[in-house]
Amino acid sequence: MNTGENPPTQFVDNDLKPVGHGRMLRKEDARFIRGKGRFIDDIQLPGMLHLAILRAPIAHGRIVSVDVTLAEAHPKVKLVGTGAMLAEHGLAWMPTLANDVQPVLATDKIHFQWQEVAFVVADDRYAAQDALELIDVEYEQLPVVVNARTALEASAPVIRDDLAGKTDNRCFDWETGDKQATDAVFARAEVVVGQEMVYPRVHPAPLETCGAVANYDPIDGDLTLWSTTQAPHAHRTLYSMVAGLPEHKIRVISPDIGGGFGNKVPIYPGYLCTIVASMLTGAPVKWTEDRFENLTSTAFARDYVMHGEIAATKAGRILAIRTNVLADHGAFNGVAAPTKYPAGFFGVFTGSYDIQAAHCAMTAVYTNKAPGGVAYSCSFRVAEAVYLIERLVDCLADQLGMDPVELRLLNLLKPDQFPYTSMTGWIYDSGDYESTLREALKIADYAGLRREQAEKRASGELMGIGVSVFTEAVGAGPRKDMDILGLGMADGAQLCLYPTGTAVLRVSCQSQGQGHETTFAQIVAEEIGIPPADIKVVHGDTDLSPFGMGTYGSRSTPVSGAAAVLVARKVRDKAHLFAATMLEVTVADLEWRKGSFHVIGDPAKSLTIQQIAKWAYGTGQLPDGVEGGLEAHIHYHPENLTYPNGAYICVVDVDPGTAVVTVRRFIAVDDCGTRINPMIIEGQVHRGLTDGVGMALMEMITFDEDGNCLAASLMDYLLPTALEVPDWETGFTVTPSPHHPIGAKGIGECATVGSPPAIVNAVVDALKPYGLRHADMPLTPSRLWEAMNGNAQPPM
Amino acid sequence: MQVTMKVNGNDVTREIEGRLLLVHFLRDHLGLTGTHWGCDTSNCGACAVWLDGEPVKSCTVLAAMAGGHEVRTVEALEQRGELDTIQRGFMECHGLQCGFCTPGMLMTTRALLDRCPSPSQEEIREAISGQVCRCTGYATIVRSVQWAAAEEAGTRTTLATGETP
């Protein structure tokens, strides 16, 4: 293991332009800094029409009538679509990624506020909006359920009466772990601490909203769809399944994406409306969602009510963890998680600790709220799991009167325990958790912080120090375990070296800002020794890239990255055969030094990969049974997830007069195994830490009792600006994964997952003088003020 | 109605609806899609451009109000094939990821450096506090502006190697 103090040799000078891993400036920046990115709304096609969606202002009710006469008469309107019209084409409902169904346009019933009811296609976007006003819809309102705690009460109205035989709002029940063994440990434990905590509903709110441009060619029957999708290939397959279009005639293009964070994984009604509109009008059609639509109707995140308990000895040895979870899935089960994992990867709630038993029982419910659930960089619900365990451990520390760091050090898994099978069956690949934590303690000067805190407390100042030590589970996933709608979670890669020695890599993952055009070129460069500048990475176009499941759940590096490594090694192996023929030696006589093969013992005899590429397309006699050319293809299933880990320390100051929390310092030490581009990794960590500040202190999608969404704009849904976040302090350790060809692990969501509990732990720590043991996010001044005055309320 | 304004040094005249927002005028009528649109409420700042040299949110300005005035957008930062220092700063210091907030951030921070050539970290954060970035966590944007300030003052030491700056 390396620590931040001793940078591994791969950490090289950018100016040397590393042929492989190392800090390298991003290729994609050249267009973005010139305003030449190509986002969905930038696309202009000749004759293009604009689509806008009418949404229901009520949260639950019957549609009595929809009158589109006036809208259709608008001089600039080309088409008005309704649920009834879609029903005629068999398109009124569509499957969700969780094998549920959801209306594209409501036919008879509204299930959540701002659900899609009708669309208008007009000459320009303003006219389309005007015509929405001309549609007259009459509703008959029904009682509303927006609180998961009351969704299963006998008096609750049944939201999903479209499901045959449905008599309540139960979505699913799920459990993991060993209940009997866990209860037995709890029964004899010296100390048991329980805490109910809510992870409020939040929203990923990428800066670019969702949108699509559909262009259907009625002559060839070809559909080209530009859309904001993190998974273009999976979407193509689903469009074929839903709309009945032949898959080979669908081309999904995901151009530059202005942030995704899981918000752009599902297929939204707007995409399908846009496709239908193009097919019916014969013209290209654009739909660009506005911010209000994005926040109220697209994939939300979290919304878990968790009751957790932790059992331990008086000396602080953690024995077992159990939890009951109430999961609010909204009106339709739209979670984008592998089929066998309805609660995503929440099963990793045992965290980074060596314990004896664990159990979770979960009930998921339908409510009159927008669907979604797995989004906002949660790594398929690891965010919720990490929050639960890291808050519980702090509650235990409080109960035992122990320092939260000492308690964690006592219970962390040890390096020699890996690969470690958790009490809920997850196989952690590698880690050196104590070293990661000690690195964070060193950067923070933890002892010094505690001294400072003691001094401040003595003078009435509220300073808090919070710690979180987390283990992530990313890179879905193994073929035997993981699929979405029957599609195994593999990724493809194709690598072609051209005769002049430059290369094109085609991958199925889809950047939303992660810098794949840079890092994937670096991955290939490391393997075949061609400078990254000579490697073009093609992605985001299903006609130009191999099939694969796309980018979410931090799976690009673990899955697509591994595919890129292995396809490059296939090419190198073929080059090895060619080099032996060219030099008239055996394969065993050659050794590879990055970029060239050398005859062992005769280093003057060598060939560069570029020389070999030229020969591969030339006229020389090929080795027996080997084709010419220098390219390869792979369809890669990972054998396991990767398990990056981190140790975070947050320092806050709370104003005793206003309850305003200031995050003064934040120290993040991450271990994502082998580091491909440290600059990009740091950027990913910074992003997630900012998410953490947002979720812990500011962000919440909340509703009133009538189901009105109270966070429908960025005036009400508060995102952190530069003023709410500190100058991040980062460090790293390097514990390579044995289950990835270069030992890399996903990093994209670690900080989003790991930072909220550190911040909440810090605030609660600051408020120890008030006797506070827990307060639910978001810790806004008003909510925290109530908590400081003994009136802590769960969010609604 | 007809509107005439100077955009990136060129006089443009177009027939528009009175309600047309400047951001849509730039994007849909002039094809200047570098200026982005990200919210309905003037909170995100992806649409920031210069109006007579001052940053404004073009989603909150009617195109008609810009008539007779001078607008500059991100497309005008590069001059004669040479990047503006602030553009180089963002590249050098990883001040962007998805690139969606970037044009607005570049226009705001260029304006900051023009009036305050050596801003403190606090001044930089204050200057971009009306804008949202969902990717960078802002620290690298701060560094990008500091890089550009040092570059323009001739005091920039070479980029730290082996470490992020």
Side-chain angles (χ1 to χ4, degrees), chain B residues 8-129:
Chain B
N8 296 339
N10 304 313
D11 290 316
V12 296
T13 300
R14 292 287 188 281
E15 193 66 35
I16 60 165
E17 289 187 60
R19 61 180 173 170
L20 183 70
L21 298 176
L22 180 58
V23 63
H24 288 141
F25 179 71
L26 295 170
R27 291 177 53 78
D28 295 347
H29 293 244
L30 303 185
L32 294 171
T33 54
T35 300
H36 296 147
W37 169 92
C39 73
D40 318 296
T41 48
S42 207
N43 288 88
C44 83
C47 63
V49 300
W50 287 8
L51 187 63
D52 295 336
E54 284 295 319
V56 297
K57 289 174 177 172
S58 61
C59 76
T60 321
V61 176
L62 293 171
M65 293 161 66
H69 295 273
E70 183 175 356
V71 175
R72 286 185 83 78
T73 70
V74 67
E75 285 90 349
L77 281 179
E78 185 179 19
Q79 289 287 320
R80 290 175 292 280
E82 198 164 316
L83 290 174
D84 189 278
T85 326
I86 194 69
Q87 291 172 300
R88 289 169 54 210
F90 271 66
M91 283 185 84
E92 291 285 344
C93 298
H94 196 29
L96 67 151
Q97 291 182 34
C98 80
F100 202 79
C101 78
T102 311
M105 289 287 182
L106 288 169
M107 296 311 288
T108 307
T109 53
R110 177 68 265 169
L112 169 69
L113 290 180
D114 285 350
R115 69 171 189 272
C116 176
S118 184
S120 65
Q121 169 158 183
E122 290 69 31
E123 286 170 319
I124 297 168
R125 286 180 181 271
E126 181 70 35
I128 60 172
S129 65

Side-chain angles (χ1 to χ4, degrees), chain A residues 7 11-15 23 25-30 32-37 39-44 50 76 124-127 130 203-209 256-259 261 286 288-293 376 512-515 678-684 686-688 690-691 699 712-715 717 719-728 730, chain B residues 17 19-25 27-29 31-46 74-78 81-84 86-88 90-103 105-106 121-122 124-140 142-143 146 158-165:
Chain A
F11 209 48
V12 297
D13 184 346
N14 179 67
D15 297 331
R23 183 178 196 274
L25 301 188
R26 299 198 326 163
K27 294 179 168 207
E28 37 278 89
D29 290 357
F32 291 136
I33 56 156
R34 291 172 169 88
K36 296 295 183 189
F39 299 91
I40 289 289
D41 195 57
D42 300 344
I43 293 168
Q44 299 278 8
H50 294 263
K76 288 188 171 180
D124 64 71
R125 61 176 100 213
Y126 285 53
D130 287 345
H203 194 280
L207 202 55
E208 179 205 33
T209 58
D256 286 325
I257 299 293
F261 322 122
K286 178 192 280 186
T288 305
E289 182 182 75
D290 64 24
R291 176 60 59 191
F292 161 82
E293 295 178 285
Y376 210 164
Q512 310 121 44
Q514 294 93 333
M679 177 189 82
I680 286 176
I681 290 170
E682 187 198 33
Q684 297 267 296
H686 284 188
R687 184 194 65 71
T690 307
D691 289 349
E699 301 173 24
S713 78
L714 295 186
M715 296 173 79
Y717 188 70
L719 299 170
T721 74
L723 294 178
E724 282 82 40
V725 297
D727 197 8
W728 311 110
T730 60
Chain B
E17 289 187 60
R19 61 180 173 170
L20 183 70
L21 298 176
L22 180 58
V23 63
H24 288 141
F25 179 71
R27 291 177 53 78
D28 295 347
H29 293 244
L32 294 171
T33 54
T35 300
H36 296 147
W37 169 92
C39 73
D40 318 296
T41 48
S42 207
N43 288 88
C44 83
V74 67
E75 285 90 349
L77 281 179
E78 185 179 19
E82 198 164 316
L83 290 174
D84 189 278
I86 194 69
Q87 291 172 300
R88 289 169 54 210
F90 271 66
M91 283 185 84
E92 291 285 344
C93 298
H94 196 29
L96 67 151
Q97 291 182 34
C98 80
F100 202 79
C101 78
T102 311
M105 289 287 182
L106 288 169
Q121 169 158 183
E122 290 69 31
I124 297 168
R125 286 180 181 271
E126 181 70 35
I128 60 172
S129 65
Q131 285 161 282
V132 171
C133 171
R134 298 292 285 148
C135 297
T136 64
Y138 304 106
T140 54
V142 172
R143 293 178 198 164
Q146 289 171 328
T158 48
L159 192 65
T161 54
E163 288 180 358
T164 43

Side-chain angles (χ1 to χ4, degrees), chain A residues 350-428:
Chain A
T350 58
S352 312
Y353 306 106
D354 184 10
I355 63 168
Q356 297 174 7
H359 180 254
C360 169
M362 178 181 296
T363 296
V365 297
Y366 293 115
T367 59
N368 291 118
K369 291 148 78 172
V374 168
Y376 210 164
S377 309
C378 69
S379 302
F380 299 120
R381 307 277 196 192
V382 180
E384 290 90 324
V386 164
Y387 183 72
L388 174 78
I389 180 69
E390 289 306 294
R391 278 300 299 129
L392 275 181
V393 170
D394 257 41
C395 290
L396 177 64
D398 181 60
Q399 178 85 14
L400 295 171
M402 282 181 76
D403 181 279
V405 168
E406 290 308 313
L407 179 60
R408 285 175 170 83
L409 284 170
L410 195 61
N411 289 285
L412 289 175
L413 290 164
K414 302 284 187 287
D416 61 7
Q417 289 178 271
F418 293 91
Y420 166 80
T421 303
S422 80
M423 289 301 125
T424 46
W426 299 77
I427 302 168
Y428 295 13

Side-chain angles (χ1 to χ4, degrees), chain A residues 14 35 53 121 163 267 362 388 433 457 481 493 574 642 675:
Chain A
N14 179 67
I53 294 175
V121 180
L163 300 174
I267 288 180
M362 178 181 296
L388 174 78
Y433 297 166
R457 268 200 187 143
D481 296 325
K574 191 171 181 185
T642 65
R675 294 154 60 82

Side-chain angles (χ1 to χ4, degrees), chain A residues 94-114:
Chain A
M94 63 176 187
T96 71
L97 296 180
N99 283 303
D100 195 357
V101 290
Q102 172 183 356
V104 177
L105 294 177
T107 49
D108 57 344
K109 186 173 160 173
I110 301 303
H111 298 79
F112 68 94
Q113 193 191 34
W114 308 125

